[in-house]
Amino acid sequence: MTTPTEESLNLGKTAPVQTEPLLVRMRRFAPYFGSFPGTWLLVAFSALVAAATEPLIPALLKPLLDRGFQQGSLAIWTVPVSLLLLFGVRGLAGYSSQIGLSRITNDGLVRMRRAMFKKILDSRLELFQEKSSSALSNTVVYEVQTGATMLVNSLLSLARNGLTLLALTGYLLFLNWKLTMIVAAIFPAVAWVMRVLTRRLHWLTKANQDATDELAYVVEENVLAHREIRLYSAQASQLERFSRLGDSLQKLALKSTIAGAAMTPMTQMLAAVALSAVISVALIQSSSSGTSVGGFVAFVTAMLMIVAPIRQLSEVSSPITRGLAALERGLALVDGIESEAGGTFDKAVASGAIEFQRVSVRYAGSNGFALQALDLKMVPGETVALVGASGSGKTTLANLLPRFVNIDSGKVLLDGHDVREWNLQALRNQFAFVSQNVVMLNDSIAANVALGLPVDRARVSQCLETANLTAFVDAAVQGMDSLVGHNALQLSGGQRQRLAVARALYKNAPILILDEATSALDTESERAIQDALQILMRERTTLVIAHRLSTIQHADRIVVMNEGRILEIGSHQELLALEGAYFRLYNLGRQSGSEYLAAVA
């Protein structure tokens, strides 16, 4: 992943902007946040009530100043009681709108996050090569929450202040339409300022999010590679890399703050110009038309009050832009990510007949083939071992079966049907997979063993015993209910791999794929589970990738691979008698006293 710089991010330069109307953009979120019409009506009604109370404050000042200080002309309790009622209604309206918005925001977030997470779970596998886990988790967990909160609260502010502006403008027109025209003259200027700054703010927000993803990726990468970073004393270079990204992000954040903060003072300056003009004209009018003190004070008060909603309306553009940008990244996960494509063929339990017909695979960005015109046939119940140097295509071949890798040409058949014709879930139900890279969820031991299936504690216990994990589980504080921690890092490498073996035993699938399944086990532990694996393998079609001689020599057939091609096929004894590639590798390993084929070195 490349490091963003000020040049690559075009800081300070003209950038493309979002041209779609605001309402069109917000309409996309209706399925998530628009499914609560009753709550939205409550929020809208509350905002309307709060806005309607605004002109009542200057309206109370006019009779108070004109008649309140004249003996007996105005009841002494009229204004105080009116103020109490007025602020009581405003408080209740504000409370109702906040409660309603909280429900809309949180319920909408639940829906949107569920849709996003489901899309990630079902997405094509290329997604995880294109995006880092930190970027995906940041979008699902943090960005959409921040975006939803900012957007929904901003929409309430937009509605409440917009209605307040209309109410106060109507009252000003009622008091003095000529002075009101002066106030109205600032509206086009404010709109122009907001438009210009909003366009720049939108791009800066997008660039800020991308730079944040890059920074998070560096942190994630260094956490995963913490041993290598220390072993090769790379702390200084990684700190420099992090600092360079941090500086770029700082510049973006500053530019974004400047763009957002400029709206308020510019709006306030325009309002001050209008206020000065109004006071001058009002003084001229009062000398000629005899405007009352109460009327003049009520007008000026209402005009000063109108500055607040104008200012808040100018400020609402920034959070709306930021909120929309964040939510649109989440929406891109839902609408922009393709799900894995599968067929319709479905079978509960496959017989295990497998055939590779002229299969070729080339990875993106690679000039050579990982597999080249490969042919291989496996009958039900057969155990086939794949051997060869690293990079010879063994793991690629195994990953073709559950479609973790897709072919470029040829066919992969399971029970006579192309794996592309199978329903994906039905296809993957046929396989139990134990890899040399064990992945565990931060859940209980039992849940990790029964992954994807209901937990049968007796059956889990039996699988743990077969995998030689009973002593470990019994020593755990909560037994099989103990949490394994982040990717089971609290366990040793051998314990993690035996836990993966127990998971494969629990699934009881008709086809086993063992990719160095016992590579992290010591000799004693490997022997302890070898008998159980042999029994299991006799009843199932098994594809074994291994270099340990004790595992290879028990296979029905051994396939020797090199550079994506098959060199030799036969049983252990047949290949030794052939005195070819396998014979040489076997003898080199035996001469060195190793339990492994020499090709591993």
Side-chain angles (χ1 to χ4, degrees):
M1 187 172 286
T2 58
T3 300
T5 63
E6 184 166 348
E7 290 75 18
S8 67
L9 292 170
N10 295 318
L11 300 184
K13 301 179 182 179
T14 302
V17 296
Q18 180 61 257
T19 58
E20 287 185 324
L22 185 64
L23 288 177
V24 173
R25 295 171 65 192
M26 289 195 297
R27 194 179 301 140
R28 298 171 184 164
F29 305 103
Y32 310 103
F33 299 95
S35 302
F36 317 100
T39 308
W40 276 113
L41 285 174
L42 173 64
V43 172
F45 177 74
S46 300
L48 182 61
V49 170
T53 61
E54 292 291 333
L56 297 179
I57 296 175
L60 285 173
L61 289 175
K62 189 175 185 302
L64 178 65
L65 292 173
D66 287 341
R67 296 186 292 121
F69 296 100
Q70 300 176 15
Q71 186 74 23
S73 63
L74 188 66
I76 195 172
W77 52 266
T78 302
V79 173
V81 171
S82 299
L83 284 173
L84 288 174
L85 289 173
L86 176 63
F87 283 96
V89 171
R90 288 183 63 184
L92 183 61
Y95 175 80
S96 300
S97 63
Q98 287 297 325
I99 296 298
L101 277 179
S102 177
R103 183 194 170 190
I104 290 170
T105 303
N106 290 298
D107 288 358
L109 270 175
V110 168
R111 295 184 178 199
M112 191 170 186
R113 278 177 171 156
R114 186 183 294 119
M116 293 164 65
F117 192 61
K118 184 179 186 304
K119 200 70 174 184
I120 291 174
L121 292 176
D122 297 332
S123 71
R124 57 190 178 88
L125 299 179
E126 288 80 2
L127 170 69
F128 306 104
Q129 299 169 0
E130 297 166 358
K131 291 185 176 291
S132 67
S133 59
S134 60
L136 291 172
S137 60
N138 183 56
T139 300
V140 173
V141 178
Y142 301 109
E143 284 192 12
V144 293
Q145 167 135 14
T146 302
T149 302
M150 294 176 72
L151 181 61
V152 174
N153 287 335
S154 299
L155 289 177
L156 173 63
S157 177
L158 183 65
R160 184 170 55 216
N161 289 295
L163 291 171
T164 299
L165 185 61
L166 289 176
L168 288 171
T169 302
Y171 182 67
L172 288 173
L173 286 170
F174 170 75
L175 287 176
N176 192 322
W177 68 269
K178 294 180 181 179
L179 294 180
T180 304
M181 291 300 101
I182 298 175
V183 178
I186 72 170
F187 292 167
V190 171
W192 179 82
V193 169
M194 290 174 62
R195 183 172 181 270
V196 171
L197 293 177
T198 297
R199 289 165 69 90
R200 175 167 173 76
L201 187 62
H202 173 76
W203 176 79
L204 287 171
T205 300
K206 286 282 191 182
N208 194 296
Q209 290 171 334
D210 292 339
T212 301
D213 283 347
E214 296 285 352
L215 193 67
Y217 177 74
V218 171
V219 175
E220 175 193 7
E221 200 171 44
N222 277 264
V223 168
L224 293 175
H226 64 277
R227 290 190 178 92
E228 289 77 6
I229 296 297
R230 286 160 176 76
L231 183 64
Y232 292 97
S233 301
Q235 292 97 324
S237 63
Q238 291 304 304
L239 180 60
E240 181 183 354
R241 179 186 176 199
F242 182 87
S243 300
R244 187 168 60 250
L245 280 168
D247 291 342
S248 297
L249 185 58
Q250 180 190 30
K251 292 177 182 178
L252 283 168
L254 181 59
K255 290 175 181 289
S256 180
T257 300
I258 291 172
M263 292 184 183
T264 299
M266 294 181 72
T267 304
Q268 288 177 335
M269 181 58 67
L270 290 171
V273 171
L275 177 60
S276 301
V278 164
I279 291 176
S280 300
V281 174
L283 289 174
I284 296 173
Q285 284 185 343
S286 64
S287 61
S288 60
S289 60
T291 302
S292 68
V293 174
F296 176 75
V297 172
F299 187 91
V300 172
T301 302
M303 199 195 78
L304 291 174
M305 290 177 65
I306 213 172
V307 173
I310 290 176
R311 176 179 57 80
Q312 290 171 4
L313 285 173
S314 69
E315 292 175 346
V316 85
S317 177
S318 174
I320 285 179
T321 301
R322 296 174 191 272
L324 273 176
L327 285 175
E328 282 169 345
R329 283 169 66 91
L331 200 63
L333 282 179
V334 179
D335 297 338
I337 293 178
E338 298 179 12
S339 297
E340 285 187 286
T344 58
F345 180 75
D346 195 344
K347 192 174 184 179
V349 181
S351 67
I354 297 171
E355 186 173 359
F356 299 88
Q357 297 180 350
R358 307 298 293 172
V359 171
S360 294
V361 174
R362 181 190 297 192
Y363 290 108
S366 174
N367 293 325
F369 283 91
L371 295 175
Q372 302 182 61
L374 184 142
D375 289 301
L376 179 63
K377 190 173 183 178
M378 299 173 61
V379 299
E382 183 182 23
T383 296
V384 173
L386 304 179
V387 300
S390 177
S392 60
K394 305 182 299 297
T395 300
T396 297
L397 182 66
N399 282 332
L400 289 175
L401 292 171
R403 289 194 57 193
F404 293 152
V405 173
N406 288 312
I407 61 174
D408 289 295
S409 63
K411 287 184 178 181
V412 179
L413 305 178
L414 174 59
D415 283 8
H417 292 269
D418 194 315
V419 292
R420 292 169 291 192
E421 299 173 359
W422 278 73
N423 172 279
L424 268 177
Q425 191 57 59
L427 174 69
R428 289 168 180 167
N429 285 341
Q430 312 306 320
F431 300 95
F433 194 89
V434 181
S435 169
Q436 55 187 323
N437 299 316
V438 179
V439 176
M440 293 289 162
L441 305 182
N442 189 13
D443 207 336
S444 67
I445 294 173
N448 272 285
V449 171
L451 185 65
L453 297 170
V455 177
D456 181 334
R457 297 181 68 84
R459 189 173 157 203
V460 169
S461 179
Q462 183 180 2
C463 292
L464 290 170
E465 182 179 358
T466 305
N468 195 27
L469 276 172
T470 302
F472 164 72
V473 174
D474 289 344
V477 177
Q478 293 179 288
M480 68 174 65
D481 295 318
S482 300
L483 297 178
V484 300
H486 173 61
N487 200 21
L489 292 181
Q490 300 175 12
L491 280 61
S492 68
Q495 288 168 338
R496 288 200 302 273
Q497 205 145 29
R498 277 178 278 160
L499 197 55
V501 170
R503 177 188 288 171
L505 291 166
Y506 191 91
K507 187 174 184 181
N508 198 27
I511 304 170
L512 290 174
I513 300 176
L514 306 177
D515 186 356
E516 298 289 2
T518 60
S519 63
L521 302 179
D522 54 62
T523 303
E524 183 179 352
S525 298
E526 193 266 346
R527 289 170 181 165
I529 68 169
Q530 195 62 252
D531 291 341
L533 285 176
Q534 289 298 327
I535 294 172
L536 189 62
M537 290 160 62
R538 287 193 203 112
E539 301 171 354
R540 291 164 176 80
T541 305
T542 305
L543 191 64
V544 181
I545 300 173
H547 298 101
R548 182 169 276 176
L549 292 171
S550 58
T551 302
I552 298 168
Q553 61 190 10
H554 293 299
D556 297 316
R557 285 189 299 161
I558 299 171
V559 177
V560 183
M561 299 183 64
N562 184 51
E563 295 183 352
R565 298 180 182 273
I566 294 177
L567 298 182
E568 299 171 349
I569 300 179
S571 67
H572 175 67
Q573 294 300 330
E574 289 171 345
L575 292 179
L576 289 179
L578 190 63
E579 296 188 1
Y582 182 79
F583 176 81
R584 291 191 297 273
L585 299 175
Y586 176 80
N587 281 335
L588 285 172
R590 298 291 288 180
Q591 288 171 11
S592 64
S594 172
E595 295 184 9
Y596 298 88
L597 287 180
V600 187

